[in-house]
Amino acid sequence: MMMFLSILCAGTFVLAVLVAMLGPGELTDQSNEQMRLPAQPSRFFGADAVRRRAHDDLAVDMMLAQIERHVRQEQAAAEAFLAAPSPEALGREAASPPVN
Amino acid sequence: MPAPQTDLANGLSDEATSSLWALGASLRSEAGATLFDLGARADRVFQVIGGRVTLTLPMQVRGRQQDVLVEERLAGETLGWSGLIPPHRYTLKATTPVETELIAFPRDVLLRHFADNPQVAVAVTRNVAMVIGHRLQVFQAMWLREMQRTIELRYS
């Protein structure tokens, strides 16, 4: 009887050690799997609106930069025309594409 | 310190230029500061000594009002001639994108000086007329170029 109990205790101990070695990783991964939620766009504080606003700001900044470049080049072309007025100088293409 | 060479003092003797300069007040405008707003009462003429002034007009860009560059003024150039020409309202907004040094001439001080010095008055008025005339000619040419493009786009 004593021997049976000793073998039973030793077996339980070995099993416990094995579970302790393998278990935590498996359990953590499982619990991570359970906690991992499908990606959803955040709706906190209108995150979409903020992103859209940032995109609009960038588009406006780009357009303003394009207008500014166009104005500078057109002024340079106008100054060149005034320095030596001629129909050709007035119609000469500036480097920038027209904004309109 | 000798008076800086600027388009406002073109044709004036050194003595007359120094007297004119003594009427102005030095002004240092920080980067990003507004010198004057569109439509504001114009009681000063400015001379840029160093730095840069951008002159803008409001334009609707994607449904928002934005200040769009119209002209720039660099060292030696004059701006704010509405300070001398009625109805004395600035027709553009002026900002300094970088720290800029200017001399500001109050209209009433200038007019008193002109009354006492008619030759200076003639020279400065002619110089202001040249600034205005040059702007008119540049914008005439720019406007015609835009019109040409509009015609080409519409009838192409």
Side-chain angles (χ1 to χ4, degrees):
Chain A
M1 182 67 181
M2 281 299 285
M3 193 159 176
F4 171 73
L5 283 174
S6 299
I7 290 169
L8 187 65
C9 283
T12 308
F13 177 73
V14 169
L15 190 64
V17 168
L18 281 174
V19 168
M21 284 173 67
L22 296 173
E26 294 289 326
L27 286 172
T28 308
D29 284 351
Q30 269 184 353
S31 56
N32 278 354
E33 285 291 328
Q34 284 165 356
M35 289 181 68
R36 210 170 285 148
L37 297 170
Q40 292 276 334
S42 169
R43 290 192 174 83
F44 275 116
F45 305 113
D48 279 354
V50 170
R51 220 176 0 255
R52 218 171 18 248
R53 179 77 187 217
H55 181 266
D56 283 356
D57 286 349
L58 186 67
V60 168
D61 284 350
M62 284 175 66
M63 192 171 283
L64 284 175
Q66 191 185 357
I67 292 170
E68 197 167 309
R69 196 167 54 244
H70 179 66
V71 169
R72 283 179 208 277
Q73 287 172 345
E74 282 299 301
Q75 268 181 356
E79 298 270 5
F81 162 72
L82 292 176
S86 72
E88 295 76 29
L90 187 60
R92 197 165 289 144
E93 277 301 312
S96 71
V99 174
N100 55 354
Chain B
M1 192 177 79
Q5 287 301 307
T6 64
D7 53 13
L8 194 65
N10 270 344
L12 289 180
S13 66
D14 289 348
E15 190 186 348
T17 303
S18 297
S19 301
L20 181 68
W21 247 241
L23 304 174
S26 285
L27 178 68
R28 192 172 288 275
S29 184
E30 298 297 317
T34 299
L35 199 57
F36 54 78
D37 274 309
L38 170 70
R41 188 179 147 79
D43 50 11
R44 291 185 296 178
V45 178
F46 299 90
Q47 189 73 59
V48 184
I49 302 300
R52 182 157 49 106
V53 179
T54 54
L55 300 168
T56 59
L57 278 175
M59 186 188 265
Q60 289 292 321
V61 179
R62 293 173 73 104
R64 277 191 257 166
Q65 187 171 296
Q66 301 285 342
D67 291 328
V68 173
L69 177 76
V70 174
E71 275 188 282
E72 279 180 317
R73 287 283 171 260
L74 304 172
E77 296 182 321
T78 305
L79 73 142
W81 46 260
S82 299
L84 279 178
I85 310 297
H88 305 304
R89 296 277 170 194
Y90 291 120
T91 53
L92 295 158
K93 178 181 176 181
T95 51
T96 50
V98 295
E99 189 177 276
T100 300
E101 192 185 345
L102 306 112
I103 296 180
F105 297 94
R107 179 175 63 247
D108 52 349
V109 174
L110 273 180
L111 293 181
R112 271 200 303 274
H113 186 70
F114 291 167
D116 295 339
N117 302 275
Q119 285 184 326
V120 173
V122 169
V124 171
T125 307
R126 188 189 58 215
N127 291 338
V128 171
M130 282 176 69
V131 171
I132 298 170
H134 185 72
R135 183 189 283 177
L136 171 68
Q137 289 173 327
V138 167
F139 279 87
Q140 270 182 337
M142 288 174 72
W143 176 75
L144 208 80
R145 289 168 62 81
E146 288 296 329
M147 284 290 287
Q148 183 70 57
R149 279 200 201 93
T150 305
I151 289 168
E152 282 165 12
L153 280 172
R154 192 162 293 173
Y155 299 108
S156 62

